Amino acid sequence: MLVRKSVALSLGLLVRLTSLALAQDPLPIYPQNYKVIVENERVRVLDFRLRKGAREGMHSHPAHVVYVVAPFRIRFTFPDGHTVVRVAKAGDVLYSEAVTHASENIGDTDAHGILVELKTAGAAAGDVLTAVTFIQGKPEMETEVKRELQSLTAPTRAEAGNLGYDLYQSADRPGEFMRLEVWRNADALELHKASPYLKASFERRKDQGWMTEITRWKRVPE
């Protein structure tokens, strides 16, 4: 009964979250920073510029190569909160796996590079998978349940295959929670389920008698 009611209530949130995850592409968010040079079924080549002192909020890139046109010093902030400062000089060629981060140009000059994004099946919009998980704990353990679930947020958002991960608590039944997760593909979700920290959390929840049910959703093309 809980699951059927929760599904009905969450459909609107599900569509909204999936749309937000797909909108993490920085091109429509920061058109002043990115210009498409070439795009086909295998790559997207972008002319990238980030002015001195400018910032970009959290966004995602698939695996990519950067050719540095002008030297830069950029501070990247990742979903788990840790930061890394990358310094590069003109002519450097840099490679990165798929990543989600925010960025800030903390150097003395505007940053400029050619960004070659590699298109893979795992990054295709049609492969995106949304998981809706329902968790019900004992009412008197509301605080413990919330603390346990919140502890999973940072490490999950730091996973390369994760596009969105948010926790909701029932406004009417405080002991009931719903988690909306968006993954690049089904394989990314399976890797997450096999992670040691998630398996340990699941065992703790099971020992305490919490109910957990996960359902998987695919977006219907318009």
Side-chain angles (χ1 to χ4, degrees), residues 68-83:
V68 180
V69 177
F72 64 72
R73 182 182 181 87
I74 296 178
R75 178 166 53 222
F76 295 103
T77 302
F78 298 90
D80 64 356
H82 85 276
T83 62

Side-chain angles (χ1 to χ4, degrees), residues 63 139 181:
E181 313 168 33

Side-chain angles (χ1 to χ4, degrees), residues 21-80:
L22 294 174
Q24 286 185 315
D25 178 359
L27 181 61
I29 306 174
Y30 303 103
Q32 71 278 18
N33 295 348
Y34 298 87
K35 178 183 177 182
V36 176
I37 301 173
V38 174
E39 183 168 14
N40 56 40
E41 69 278 3
R42 293 182 179 273
V43 298
R44 182 173 71 170
V45 182
L46 301 168
D47 184 293
F48 164 70
R49 299 171 187 268
L50 187 63
R51 295 191 180 281
K52 176 183 175 181
R55 301 181 180 184
E56 292 179 346
M58 205 64 66
H59 60 276
S60 297
H61 297 281
H64 59 277
V65 175
V66 178
Y67 174 78
V68 180
V69 177
F72 64 72
R73 182 182 181 87
I74 296 178
R75 178 166 53 222
F76 295 103
T77 302
F78 298 90
D80 64 356

Side-chain angles (χ1 to χ4, degrees), residues 118-192:
L118 309 178
K119 293 187 177 180
T120 65
D127 290 334
V128 171
L129 182 70
T130 299
V132 184
T133 303
F134 303 100
I135 306 101
Q136 182 174 12
K138 297 178 181 178
E140 65 273 15
M141 296 183 64
E142 172 192 343
T143 301
E144 290 80 359
V145 173
K146 184 186 297 185
R147 183 184 301 116
E148 175 73 27
L149 297 177
Q150 288 178 324
S151 72
L152 303 174
T153 300
T156 300
R157 287 179 176 171
E159 291 184 35
N162 182 255
L163 297 175
Y165 193 83
D166 293 274
L167 182 65
Y168 295 81
Q169 183 173 13
S170 171
D172 303 311
R173 297 176 294 277
E176 298 176 13
F177 295 83
M178 176 179 68
R179 193 167 54 215
L180 296 181
E181 313 168 33
V182 184
W183 298 91
R184 290 186 181 276
N185 52 38
D187 289 343
L189 175 58
E190 292 307 311
L191 286 173
H192 169 65

